[in-house]
Amino acid sequence: ERLRVLLMRRATSEKSGGDFYATLLARVSRRFARGVVSGTLEGRIPYNRALRLLGFQKLSAFGELARQLGVIA
């Protein structure tokens, strides 16, 4: 019982959600993500397809990924 209480306290005190974009780049390669972002910004890939390829639902996440990859400033 005491161990369970200690584990519950520890689980609730550690609330790090991780880095969404680092996790994304671990799932899909940086090269793939950069290619999708660049192709989309150049007009070769439609935005809805790019969001689907990257697993996004929001366009704002796409913009932030482009910034993280250095494709846009």
Side-chain angles (χ1 to χ4, degrees):
E1 180 65 26
R2 184 169 180 226
L3 179 60
R4 186 178 69 78
V5 171
L6 290 174
L7 290 174
M8 291 292 283
R9 277 192 200 150
R10 184 172 184 187
T12 56
S13 67
E14 295 176 6
K15 298 221 177 192
S16 174
D19 183 350
F20 175 78
Y21 299 98
T23 303
L24 170 75
L25 294 175
R27 222 180 18 184
V28 302
S29 72
R30 179 176 288 275
R31 184 176 183 180
F32 176 79
R34 191 177 182 94
V36 170
V37 169
S38 297
T40 303
L41 296 175
E42 291 169 2
R44 293 183 286 121
I45 301 173
Y47 276 93
N48 62 345
R49 179 151 179 110
L51 294 177
R52 204 171 335 121
L53 287 169
L54 296 170
F56 291 159
Q57 293 182 3
K58 296 183 179 183
L59 191 57
S60 60
F62 178 86
E64 180 57 29
L65 177 63
R67 279 188 281 286
Q68 295 253 341
L69 291 171
V71 176
I72 60 173

